[in-house]
Amino acid sequence: MLSVKDAEAIILNLVQPLDAQRDVEIVDLWAASDRILANPITSQLDFPHWDNSAMDGYAVRYEDVKQANAEQPAILEIIEEIPAGYQPKSTIQSGQAARIFTGAVIPAGADTVVMQERTRREENRVLILAAPQPQEFVRHKASYYQAGTQLLPPGIKLKAAEIAVLAAAQCPEVKVYRRPRVAIFATGDELVTPNTPLQPGQIVDSNDYALATLVRESGAEPLLLGIVKDNPDALQQTIAYAINNADIVLSSGGVSVGEYDYVDKILEALAAKIHIRAVEMTPGKPLTVASFPNQHSALYFGLPGNPVSALVTFWRFVQPAIKKLAGLAEGWEAKFVKVRSHDELRANGKRETYIWGRLYLINGVYEFHKAGGSHSSGNLINLAQTNALAVLPVGQTFISPGEEVQALLLANS
């Protein structure tokens, strides 16, 4: 049985990010939210595009106003008014000023803006009542970004700020990585769909719904293959189809050691190399990870069938793998923080233990609150609204209230 750290290292080493030449598509900027940028972006525009004013006030020559004060104001002739979007027509000479507004182009000859609150206007003259700093309130051309240099690096997720930058740089279309395809299916004769009346012994398949949601949240496209009964031939056909049509395959159930757990045997029949069969963690011990070195690039995850185990193993191992595969240059690793535990937390110490609950910000400190009720791997009900998992390492059996604990942040944190 592998440690969690060893299993994580094996999985992330198996993941090869999408190809920056082959696995890309061009999308309209309106459709680029949360996509991963595939190539570096440069612009032929300087930012700012020209010297402009950061304030409503008056564009002046610093030499004319450097001694100004309320008792002896500098008195300047106003020769032009410059709103935003207007190209100045005049050059500011000694003893002159231009009325200017935020964002407007600084006129030739001026090098400083005096904010209007430090002035008094009298018809076509302005009295400067306080000396500014040299070049005050002037935003200089190319001071934010110089044309021809890298504006945005590849491998970043495009959020609101990045999309605003692309729009300002006049990039109406961008090249992004395609979304990874993730095939999902559940195994078991006992499973039925949510719209099927339950018979004794049957269980509604919730795993497919949860995993598909998590796959979408991770930036990938789910390929839903439904429920596969405990029939080796049907299961082999489904796995063969999945590895030929997806980048990652997720099955739930069938990876333990029961008489109807066929996944590992079928993978071996399909010439898979099985890298992981079990992980030293709870919930989530039965985990199969396989690759197909001679046939396919797909990475196979056989997740446990118990609902909580399936989600915990996804959060801990699959989600980082999808994010790395998707082309993210960094930030795809599982994210942990140290928090204060509100509750007593217990484990048997034999395996790394994950306890689900919620983080709350209380008096400036993040506090972990354990979900109420049974913490059985089959109890899906109290997993609702979970946004973090407290982690007790091997050998640790107890966390007292108020004690620090490491928490795994989930996608909805």
Side-chain angles (χ1 to χ4, degrees), residues 7 64 152 209 244 251 280 288 302 314 353:
D64 290 343
L152 293 175
Y209 289 85
N244 277 293
S251 66
E280 198 174 49
T288 293
F314 183 98
T353 300

Side-chain angles (χ1 to χ4, degrees), residues 239-240 242-246 270 291-299:
I239 293 176
I243 62 179
N244 277 293
N245 290 276
L270 292 171
S291 63
F292 302 84
N294 299 322
Q295 303 173 55
H296 314 280
S297 59
L299 185 60

Side-chain angles (χ1 to χ4, degrees), residues 316 334-341 345 352-360 366-369 386-393 399 403-410 413:
R316 186 63 184 88
K335 292 179 173 58
F336 295 90
V337 293
K338 290 287 188 180
V339 299
R340 184 174 62 198
S341 180
L345 306 178
E352 188 164 297
T353 300
Y354 291 75
I355 299 172
W356 49 101
R358 288 186 62 79
L359 287 183
Y360 295 94
Y366 279 101
E367 196 170 84
F368 177 79
H369 290 235
T386 291
N387 66 5
L389 303 173
V391 184
L392 276 65
I399 295 286
E403 189 176 347
E404 193 175 69
V405 65
Q406 184 168 250
L408 171 63
L409 299 179
L410 305 185
S413 299

Side-chain angles (χ1 to χ4, degrees), residues 266-326:
I266 291 171
L267 289 172
E268 290 172 348
L270 292 171
K273 180 177 181 181
I274 298 180
H275 303 271
I276 299 172
R277 297 180 186 272
V279 181
E280 198 174 49
M281 65 184 292
T282 185
K285 173 188 171 184
L287 172 67
T288 293
V289 177
S291 63
F292 302 84
N294 299 322
Q295 303 173 55
H296 314 280
S297 59
L299 185 60
Y300 189 99
F301 289 88
L303 307 181
N306 280 324
V308 176
S309 300
L311 267 66
V312 169
T313 49
F314 183 98
W315 283 320
R316 186 63 184 88
F317 301 118
V318 182
Q319 186 166 268
I322 293 175
K323 290 182 176 182
K324 181 179 179 183
L325 173 68

